[in-house]
Amino acid sequence: MSSLLSAQTEDFIDWWQHAVFYQIYPRSFKDSNGDGIGDLQGVISKLPYLAETGITATWLSPIFQSPMVDFGYDVSDYKSIQTEYGTMADFEQLVNTATSLGIKIILDFVPNHTSDKHEWFIKSAARDPLYDNFYVWADGKLDNQGVRQPPNNWQSVFYGSAWQWHEQRGQYYLHQFAKEQPDLNFRNPAVVRAMDDVLLFWLNKGVAGFRIDALNHLFEDETLPDEPLSGKTTDPLSYDYTKHIYTKDLPEVLSMVQHWRQLLDDYTAKHSEGATRIMMTEAYADLQVLMDYYEDAGGVRGSQLPFNFHFITDVSGDSDARDFVYNIEKWLIYMPRGHTANWVMGNHDKPRVATRFGPASVDAMNMLLLTLPGVAVTYNGEELGMQDYDEISWEDTVDPPARIAGKLDYKKVSRDPERTPFQWSNATNAGFSTAAKTWLPVNPNYLVLNLEAQKQAVKSHYKVYKSLIELRKLPVLRRGRFSIEPLSRTVFAFKRTLKDYDTLVTIINVSAKEQLVNLTDFINRPQKLVVEVAGVDSVYAPGDSSFLANNRSDKPQLRLAPRAGLVLSYEQSGMSKQRRLLVKQIIKSFNVVLVALLMYNLWRHKWTKVNFN
Ligand code: GLC
């Protein structure tokens, strides 16, 4: 099975279409003032690191004023910076420094809900006429005993009823997440306008776009019907108890995506001195829904990058080669023509790569991420293969769904393990902070697993990651065609090809055993295979082509360590680009000589005629 992706011409590649987006979780990235919490000056101090690594753009989890119930995803003022993170001047400095280093800044836009401390909510609760309908308010129901109950059976993603009684207003309000995160009412045009204003505010500060949070939760059925039971659990308070047909993925969401796209496009058109402003959207949704975000059946465009979470949600350490191939193909087959694929390998809500696939998979997963066609999205720390810290005590646990789950069950849902501080070095607190206590504990493995050690080591995950980004500059990775196949149950490979350039091949062993791979079926008469990037456990090193030594025929047998990958290149037609260019040059010169001779002969003939007749 193979699929071809139409090769794009260089002219059509906009800045974001082959970008590496790096997600920074600001609270855990770098603390500059010793309070145990990451901040904007910390991010600024590490921008040169991102530039040196080759990152195109960074998207920052929320940095706005917030009571931090959901660590910034509960915004109390969309237009000011969280005090513990810094000031607006710091933010402006961040944009300027990033711009001077060639890095673009993307902000997290949280439209579904605000904090219950937001001025809009306080005014809405007080029935201020201007804000009365800013949120989703509803009367409750009385049960048989005359006791007040929520209007329906909707549950919060974080467990328990999605409705909270508000004494002052005398009504329930909807919260799809924590009760301190009331849902905005996007059916109210004033809310849409207020949020547009937020987008324009940050665009004017020079951001290149937005990551849109919890997008598919934006609208609910106005008649508030009970949702049908899913049959997945008997716990009526669990989010899994019902099928979310009235609270998620309503068609109105698509209209909002298209509305924001228009706003961004208009802004780009008016400020053509800047780059295309883009959106990347967060929705764990069906493939068809995500594809409509790109472009609906009527050709209306929406999100440039509807996040593709398949490497997070649809494959794991137990998946075989066919599962990977199937998931990769799935996205490319459904994606409307002319759009850009994206691959998200991790984020602050899901276990890290080393934890999901096993630490031995780190390099292979980065090879996959960075050699597939389109956009790569890396969560901070994945370039080092950071691991979840699963031993965080109940006392140190801060993530709201984990606190709600309680002491016995918190580990099943906590997102704290993947949010621990970035491991810069083996200094105190991994070089993250000089505080006596950091907001989340540092993973004790920082003593061996840290950036500084990986920069010094001969081989390291970071070095592999960096060399992959370097390799991405090749035209064949920027716009080459793509085809993929499972070579067995345990190994899959894909090719990137482009006329006049060497072909690149990525091979991944997803099993826990070493595999010997014969590539003859996959590669048509390879004259010479060369290793471009090898993982830390590989027997090969970049530049090697020694595996051909035992094989005088063109039957290269590769050794792939457990869960390892390899990126190879080979000359497409047995002739290197340089050699092809030389031959072309010779032919060209030969033609020139031929034409000159012809002209000379003609001229001589004519001259002869003139003189002797
Ligand atoms: C998104 C965020 C997550 C947050 C939730 C509610 O899914 O990624 O961290 O808890 O929205 O805002």
Side-chain angles (χ1 to χ4, degrees):
M1 186 174 59
S2 87
S3 89
L4 287 177
L5 198 76
S6 62
Q8 289 171 298
T9 59
E10 191 67 29
D11 299 353
F12 275 87
I13 296 188
D14 202 351
W15 73 266
W16 55 273
Q17 290 183 292
H18 189 58
V20 179
F21 286 89
Y22 183 88
Q23 179 192 354
I24 291 182
Y25 194 69
R27 223 174 158 74
S28 289
F29 199 56
K30 174 71 185 164
D31 170 19
S32 73
N33 62 354
D35 63 358
I37 296 169
D39 47 46
L40 295 189
Q41 282 300 332
V43 173
I44 294 170
S45 71
K46 296 300 181 185
L47 287 173
Y49 161 65
L50 299 189
E52 154 198 332
T53 307
I55 301 298
T56 324
T58 172
W59 77 265
L60 297 154
S61 281
I63 52 170
F64 321 108
Q65 205 54 256
S66 163
M68 291 288 156
V69 169
D70 193 17
F71 300 102
Y73 287 96
D74 48 321
V75 181
S76 55
D77 182 355
Y78 287 97
K79 294 185 186 170
S80 69
I81 301 291
Q82 168 70 353
T83 318
E84 57 196 356
Y85 291 170
T87 61
M88 195 56 85
D90 292 327
F91 180 75
E92 284 157 4
Q93 187 188 343
L94 190 151
V95 172
N96 289 338
T97 315
T99 308
S100 68
L101 290 167
I103 295 174
K104 297 202 164 47
I105 300 290
I106 304 282
L107 289 184
D108 208 334
F109 178 55
V110 189
N112 181 65
H113 44 266
T114 67
S115 157
D116 60 347
K117 302 289 181 291
H118 197 293
E119 174 193 6
W120 299 341
F121 186 72
I122 294 165
K123 290 184 170 165
S124 191
R127 294 187 189 262
D128 177 327
L130 285 179
Y131 296 92
D132 199 17
N133 285 321
F134 253 57
Y135 294 82
V136 183
W137 296 101
D139 297 327
K141 293 191 293 206
L142 292 184
D143 66 13
N144 294 341
Q145 278 83 43
V147 179
R148 193 179 52 229
Q149 298 294 339
N152 58 30
N153 70 350
W154 297 353
Q155 303 302 344
S156 133
V157 176
F158 289 171
Y159 195 81
S161 174
W163 296 98
Q164 178 69 27
W165 179 253
H166 197 284
E167 210 49 65
Q168 182 193 6
R169 167 116 178 183
Q171 272 190 311
Y172 284 94
Y173 65 85
L174 179 75
H175 62 92
Q176 293 218 37
F177 294 88
K179 68 177 190 328
E180 296 85 355
Q181 294 168 296
D183 269 47
L184 281 164
N185 172 19
F186 267 85
R187 296 186 189 280
N188 178 352
V191 169
V192 177
R193 279 197 301 274
M195 293 307 267
D196 284 358
D197 184 48
V198 170
L199 293 173
L200 291 169
F201 177 85
W202 292 107
L203 286 170
N204 287 336
K205 293 259 173 230
V207 305
F210 302 92
R211 175 258 188 193
I212 300 185
D213 180 73
L215 173 66
N216 50 341
H217 293 268
L218 223 49
F219 287 89
E220 301 77 29
D221 189 312
E222 277 180 290
T223 61
L224 311 183
D226 271 350
E227 289 190 322
L229 304 196
S230 70
K232 285 190 200 161
T233 163
T234 52
D235 179 357
L237 295 178
S238 161
Y239 188 61
D240 280 345
Y241 189 62
T242 61
K243 291 190 205 161
H244 305 292
I245 59 169
Y246 300 127
T247 52
K248 246 174 112 174
D249 299 320
L250 266 62
E252 291 87 335
V253 173
L254 186 57
S255 314
M256 272 320 297
V257 174
Q258 294 168 348
H259 167 83
W260 288 326
R261 172 64 180 265
Q262 192 61 53
L263 183 147
L264 292 172
D265 284 355
D266 289 350
Y267 193 91
T268 302
K270 272 193 215 132
H271 301 81
S272 50
E273 75 288 353
T276 309
R277 279 42 165 217
I278 59 145
M279 75 171 114
M280 40 214 316
T281 44
E282 188 218 22
Y284 291 85
D286 285 350
L287 198 57
Q288 260 101 341
V289 171
L290 299 176
M291 295 302 144
D292 278 354
Y293 290 170
Y294 270 128
E295 181 177 330
D296 70 10
V300 183
R301 292 185 167 222
S303 173
Q304 281 93 345
L305 300 169
F307 275 152
N308 171 359
F309 291 130
H310 288 158
F311 287 143
I312 298 178
T313 52
D314 290 41
V315 285
S316 69
D318 297 329
S319 303
D320 73 18
R322 298 166 301 184
D323 301 322
F324 275 88
V325 172
Y326 175 67
N327 275 289
I328 293 165
E329 291 271 37
K330 207 163 67 177
W331 190 272
L332 298 176
I333 288 169
Y334 275 83
M335 186 171 73
R337 221 175 160 75
H339 287 268
T340 302
N342 75 85
W343 316 93
V344 184
M345 204 42 101
N347 62 38
H348 63 296
D349 292 327
K350 304 289 177 189
R352 285 185 175 278
V353 168
T355 305
R356 295 201 315 272
F357 298 101
S361 300
V362 168
D363 295 330
M365 290 303 122
N366 280 333
M367 287 176 197
L368 183 58
L369 176 70
L370 293 163
T371 59
L372 281 170
V375 163
V377 187
T378 291
Y379 175 51
N380 57 198
E382 295 294 11
E383 71 277 32
L384 315 181
M386 271 178 65
Q387 299 168 4
D388 283 10
Y389 181 35
D390 287 321
E391 300 311 315
I392 300 178
S393 69
W394 168 244
E395 290 67 34
D396 283 341
T397 292
V398 290
D399 185 27
R403 294 305 305 181
I404 293 170
K407 193 171 177 173
L408 284 182
D409 288 325
Y410 76 97
K411 282 195 178 176
K412 289 185 197 151
V413 293
S414 182
R415 298 171 296 178
D416 291 338
E418 61 263 21
R419 296 176 176 180
T420 57
F422 193 98
Q423 295 165 206
W424 295 104
S425 70
N426 64 4
T428 313
N429 294 324
F432 161 70
S433 168
T434 53
K437 192 170 164 62
T438 53
W439 81 282
L440 272 179
V442 177
N443 190 326
N445 70 8
Y446 78 91
L447 288 171
V448 285
L449 201 168
N450 62 68
L451 177 67
E452 203 175 278
Q454 294 202 12
K455 277 187 166 177
Q456 275 158 22
V458 180
K459 287 178 170 188
S460 71
H461 296 316
Y462 175 67
K463 285 195 169 164
V464 170
Y465 184 85
K466 199 168 173 234
S467 60
L468 284 162
I469 294 199
E470 191 56 38
L471 199 69
R472 267 174 89 77
K473 292 181 186 151
L474 290 175
V476 71
L477 284 186
R478 287 174 62 79
R479 54 201 162 91
R481 282 174 171 261
F482 171 79
S483 66
I484 186 167
E485 283 175 41
L487 301 184
S488 66
R489 288 185 183 222
T490 50
V491 176
F492 68 94
F494 59 86
K495 249 184 248 173
R496 303 294 309 275
T497 51
L498 186 65
K499 193 168 176 286
D500 289 340
Y501 291 92
D502 288 354
T503 295
L504 278 193
V505 180
T506 300
I507 310 169
I508 312 264
N509 168 17
V510 293
S511 79
K513 289 198 184 116
E514 185 188 73
Q515 300 291 329
L516 279 182
V517 186
N518 183 336
L519 283 174
T520 13
D521 286 351
F522 189 62
I523 299 174
N524 190 16
R525 288 184 299 113
Q527 306 301 311
K528 195 176 175 220
L529 273 165
V530 180
V531 174
E532 295 291 339
V533 184
V536 294
D537 297 326
S538 182
V539 290
Y540 308 114
D544 276 1
S545 53
S546 54
F547 36 81
L548 284 178
N550 321 332
N551 282 278
R552 290 171 156 258
S553 65
D554 31 305
K555 280 192 183 164
Q557 286 273 3
L558 291 172
R559 285 167 82 92
L560 280 178
R563 304 204 185 272
L566 213 50
V567 183
L568 306 159
S569 67
Y570 69 95
E571 297 155 9
Q572 227 172 22
S573 61
M575 206 191 271
S576 72
K577 194 188 168 203
Q578 286 83 337
R579 220 178 305 156
R580 266 200 309 277
L581 284 177
L582 191 71
V583 172
K584 266 191 195 163
Q585 201 59 49
I586 291 172
I587 295 174
K588 220 166 145 190
S589 318
F590 183 71
N591 282 343
V592 170
V593 172
L594 213 68
V595 169
L597 270 174
L598 206 72
M599 303 275 287
Y600 174 71
N601 267 335
L602 271 175
W603 172 79
R604 231 186 69 178
H605 191 58
K606 210 173 163 197
W607 185 82
T608 312
K609 269 189 192 168
V610 171
N611 281 282
F612 294 92
N613 277 335

